[in-house]
Amino acid sequence: MQPPGAVDSARAWVMVAAAFAGMFVSFGIAYSFGAFLEPMAEEFGSSRGTTSAFFALTSLTYFGLGALSGVAVDRYGPRRVLLVGGIALGVGLAATSQAGELWVGLVTYGLGVGIAVACAYVPMVAVVSGWFERRRTLAIGVAVTGIGLGTLTVAPLAAALIGELGWRDTHLVLGSAGAVVLVVCALVVTRPPVQAGPAALTLRQAVRDRDYRRLYLASGLMAVALFVPFVHLPGYAQDAGVDPVAAAALVGVIGAASIAGRLLLGLVAARTGALRAFQGCFLTMAASFLLWGLGGGYGVLLAFAVVLGVGYGGFVAIGPAVVAERFGTTRLGGLLGVLYTSAGLGSAVGAPLAGVAVDTSGSYTPAIAGCLALGLAGYLAVLSVGRT
C-alpha cells in the first residue's frame, strides 16, 4: 500500500482535482468573454475591434506570464502561486465591473483574468506531472478537461447572467466565485513528493533547438486563428439571427468537444505517437474553418464548433507530452511556459485583427478566410518537427 504522499497515490489525485477546478474557473471565465463583447461595445460606444482588445490583453497576459509562473511554482510552491491568481481574479473583475472608461476595464480585466489563468494552468500541469509517474498522461488529461467543462458551463451562464444582471454585475459575480475556488485550491495543493532527475535539455538549450522553434512558430500561427471564434463566433451567430444565449453556447460547444478531443486523440496518440497525433490536431483545427466559411444555419455553426473543439482539445492535452518526450520533464513548467508565449502573441493579434476586418468590410468572410490560411500555415510548420 502506497503512503499518502507517494506518487500515483490517492493524494496525487487530489492534486488533479485541484488542477481541474482551477482550470475550470479560470479558463471558463476567460473564454466567456464573447458573451460580454456586444453589451460592452454598446455601452462604451466602441467597435468590435477595440473591445476585442480586452480578450487580446488577457490572452497575452496569461500566455506571456506562463513562463514566469512555471518557474515560480518550482521556487515558491503551488500554494502561493494559486493564491496570487485568486486575488488577481477577484480584484480584477471587481474593478472591471466599476470601470467608467474602456481603457480602465481593458487593464483591469486583462490583468486580473490573465494572471489568474497564468497561475492556474502551466504551474498546475507541472505539479500534476510531478505527482505521477505511471499515470502521468492520464492525470494531465483529466486535469485539463477542466478547461473544456469550464468553457461549456461558464460561457452560457455568463450570457444568462448578463441578461438578468447586466455585464457589470456579472463580472462581479464571476470574479467573486472564481476567486473563492482558486483560494480553496491553493489550500489543498502541495509540492510533488519527489524531485525528478536532470532534464535532457535546459530551457536555454531548448530555445536554441530547431524543433522547439518550429513548435513555437506552429503554435503561434495556429493561435492567431484559434482564438478568433472564442471572441467573434457569438457575435457572428447573433448577426445571423441566433438567440444571444444560444450564440454564446457555441463557445461552450467548443469546450465540450475539446473534452472529447482530449480523450479520443489521447488514445490515438498512444497508438501513433504523440507527435503524429499532435500534427493531426493542427490539421483538424485548420480544416474546421472551412465549415465556418460555408455559412448556413445554426447547425453548420455547431458542426464548426465541434470540429474545432476536438482539434483544440487534443492540441492542449497532447502538447505537453510532445514537449516532455523531446526535451525532458524536469523543467517542463518552464519549457511549456516559454512555448505558450507563442500562443499569447498569436491570440493577442488574432481577435483584434478579426474585429477590425469585420468593422471595415462589414462581413466576417475576410476574417474567416484569414483564419483558414493561418491554420494551414501552422499545420505545415508542425509537420516539419522532427525532420532534418
Side-chain angles (χ1 to χ4, degrees), residues 17 55 80 98 165 167 171-172 208 240 250 255 262 293 311 361 365:
F55 184 81
R80 294 182 183 181
Q98 303 300 313
L165 305 175
W167 69 264
H171 275 317
L172 191 60
R208 293 176 179 175
L250 289 168
R262 288 171 174 86
S361 66
T365 300

Side-chain angles (χ1 to χ4, degrees), residues 44-102:
F44 287 116
S46 60
S47 66
R48 287 185 177 91
T50 302
T51 313
S52 297
F54 277 84
F55 184 81
L57 177 61
T58 304
S59 58
L60 183 62
T61 300
Y62 67 69
F63 283 121
L65 290 182
L68 298 178
S69 63
V71 174
V73 77
D74 293 331
R75 178 173 297 182
Y76 303 111
R79 181 164 298 171
R80 294 182 183 181
V81 174
L82 274 179
L83 283 174
V84 169
I87 293 170
L89 182 62
V91 173
L93 289 187
T96 303
S97 72
Q98 303 300 313
E101 298 182 47
L102 180 62

Side-chain angles (χ1 to χ4, degrees), residues 37-38 41 46-53 232 235 239 351 355-356 358-359 364:
L37 183 60
E38 296 294 330
S46 60
S47 66
R48 287 185 177 91
T50 302
T51 313
S52 297
H232 294 289
D239 286 354
V356 170
V358 173
D359 291 333
Y364 283 85

Side-chain angles (χ1 to χ4, degrees), residues 5 10 27-28 30 53 63 84 100 162 188 264 287 313-314 334:
F27 277 97
F63 283 121
V84 169
I162 290 169
V188 170
L264 294 176

Side-chain angles (χ1 to χ4, degrees), residues 137-327:
T137 303
L138 173 63
I140 293 175
V142 172
V144 298
T145 58
I147 300 173
L149 286 175
T151 305
L152 171 66
T153 304
V154 180
L157 174 62
L161 288 174
I162 290 169
E164 294 291 328
L165 305 175
W167 69 264
R168 292 182 181 275
D169 285 346
T170 300
H171 275 317
L172 191 60
V173 169
L174 293 180
S176 300
V180 169
V181 171
L182 289 182
V183 169
V184 171
C185 291
L187 298 177
V188 170
V189 298
T190 56
R191 292 179 183 269
V194 295
Q195 296 293 326
L201 288 180
T202 65
L203 180 58
R204 178 174 295 182
Q205 291 170 332
V207 298
R208 293 176 179 175
D209 185 89
R210 180 180 299 175
D211 280 344
Y212 191 88
R213 294 198 300 268
R214 288 170 174 172
L215 285 172
Y216 192 95
L217 174 62
S219 298
L221 290 170
M222 183 57 71
V224 176
L226 172 61
F227 292 99
V228 169
F230 285 98
V231 176
H232 294 289
L233 186 58
Y236 174 92
Q238 289 183 53
D239 286 354
V242 177
D243 175 79
V245 175
L250 289 168
V251 177
V253 171
I254 297 175
S258 75
I259 300 170
R262 288 171 174 86
L263 299 176
L264 294 176
L265 295 177
L267 295 175
V268 171
R271 291 173 175 257
T272 66
L275 178 58
R276 183 169 296 181
F278 193 56
Q279 292 166 339
C281 296
F282 273 73
L283 180 59
T284 300
M285 290 185 287
S288 71
F289 287 98
L290 287 171
L291 288 171
W292 193 6
L294 289 176
Y298 192 68
V300 176
L301 295 180
L302 281 173
F304 162 67
V306 169
V307 176
L308 178 67
V310 169
Y312 165 61
F315 169 75
V316 172
I318 300 172
V322 173
V323 176
E325 282 184 3
R326 304 193 74 84
F327 309 109

Side-chain angles (χ1 to χ4, degrees), residues 11-37:
R11 178 63 174 165
W13 286 103
V14 173
M15 302 302 115
V16 174
F20 175 95
M23 295 181 202
F24 181 99
V25 297
S26 58
F27 277 97
I29 291 173
Y31 287 165
S32 70
F33 183 72
F36 292 89
L37 183 60

